[in-house]
Amino acid sequence: MQPTTFDLFADNEPLQQARTEQIGEQSWVLRGFALPRVDQLLTALEPLLDAAPLRHMVTPGGFSMSVGTSSCGTLGWITDRSGYRYSSVDPLSGLPWPGMPTVFADLAHEAAEHAGFAGFQADSCLINQYVPGAKMSLHQDKDEKAYAAPIVSLSLGLPAMFLFGGFERSDKSRRTPLLHGDMVVWGGVDRLRFHGVLPIKPGHHARLGERRINLTFRVAGDPAKV
Ligand code: MD3
Ligand code: FE
């Protein structure tokens, strides 16, 4: 569990160090990994959310999620009264989800590689927006077709306290803060761990205002077809 360091910028840029922290056998937090690309990421995000706006989806149990969600890529995660699943069509518009911007795909690929997962090519990016008070209860991500690929996440805006649990809902969970620019890669034996996010505390982020945006990059469909 020895933290390693690497240079975020080219030689002539101001030195900023990102730290890689191991939080599980095959899970890594890449502190600040996305910071050099935040402007490009937010520029790419804006038109996506115009085409496929954030919405509060309803769970099979009939509850409206406190998190606002949308997707880009070939597949997007949805939920309604009939269940959770991936869809190639945005049910709001009846159109395919917006394509995955190159800056998203490249960043996710590089983060995965940095954590030891070569060749990661996401076919889905779930966009979660949290305002203060919004949370995500403990759950497993099991709607993807296969679990061989890791899940890669990017946190932007307000900080969150992330819960990293075990393989049973009742297992004790550890917590780690996720800050603007942090990325996390969960794979292998840690892929099916329960996880969640505590209610976001009120606050203001210089770049994103009163919100947190989390992007999760996934291989949701047939891995052979990505
Ligand atoms: C650990 N999102 O969208 S990202 C989700 O911050 C979700 O919005 C949270 O959980 C968020 O499903 C957490 C981190 C994450 C995603 C998938 C995981 C952590 C994971 C899968 C296995 C273990
Ligand atoms: Fe999840």
Side-chain angles (χ1 to χ4, degrees), residues 5-211:
T5 58
F6 62 95
D7 293 350
L8 268 180
F9 291 89
D11 291 350
N12 54 352
E13 295 290 331
L15 181 75
Q16 183 173 345
Q17 301 226 291
R19 291 184 322 287
T20 303
E21 297 169 12
Q22 187 168 13
I23 58 166
E25 220 178 302
Q26 290 182 275
S27 309
W28 307 84
V29 181
L30 279 41
R31 297 284 176 201
F33 193 87
L35 287 177
R37 273 178 267 187
V38 165
D39 285 345
Q40 292 162 264
L41 291 162
L42 292 176
T43 300
L45 184 61
E46 211 175 328
L48 289 183
L49 295 182
D50 290 337
L54 294 162
R55 76 291 308 255
H56 295 275
M57 291 196 199
V58 175
T59 64
F63 296 98
S64 187
M65 293 177 68
S66 61
V67 174
T69 62
S70 186
S71 283
C72 65
T74 319
L75 290 168
W77 182 83
I78 61 171
T79 175
D80 57 24
R81 287 309 296 252
S82 50
Y84 309 112
R85 62 203 176 275
Y86 281 90
S87 170
S88 55
V89 166
D90 175 357
L92 257 189
S93 65
L95 298 170
W97 298 99
M100 177 108 54
T102 307
V103 59
F104 284 24
D106 288 353
L107 180 72
H109 179 92
E110 288 168 37
E113 190 162 71
H114 205 86
F117 297 93
F120 180 71
Q121 281 199 70
D123 59 6
S124 175
C125 171
L126 177 62
I127 303 162
N128 290 147
Q129 176 172 279
Y130 298 71
V131 297
K135 63 174 172 57
M136 195 170 286
S137 307
L138 276 184
H139 66 279
Q140 293 171 294
D141 288 19
K142 294 204 293 189
D143 300 323
E144 298 73 26
K145 211 163 196 172
Y147 308 135
I151 288 182
V152 175
S153 99
L154 163 63
S155 293
L156 295 168
L158 288 176
M161 192 57 80
F162 177 72
L163 300 174
F164 191 52
F167 300 99
E168 310 273 355
R169 187 179 299 277
S170 58
D171 288 350
K172 194 172 157 51
S173 54
R174 284 173 292 164
R175 41 183 77 184
T176 189
L178 293 181
L179 310 178
H180 180 70
D182 288 351
M183 295 193 71
V184 194
V185 180
W186 287 270
V189 295
D190 294 322
R191 173 65 181 73
L192 289 175
R193 280 185 188 272
F194 277 89
H195 58 279
V197 176
L198 291 182
I200 301 294
K201 291 197 176 130
H204 181 90
H205 186 269
R207 195 63 212 278
L208 280 123
E210 335 271 275
R211 61 193 172 132

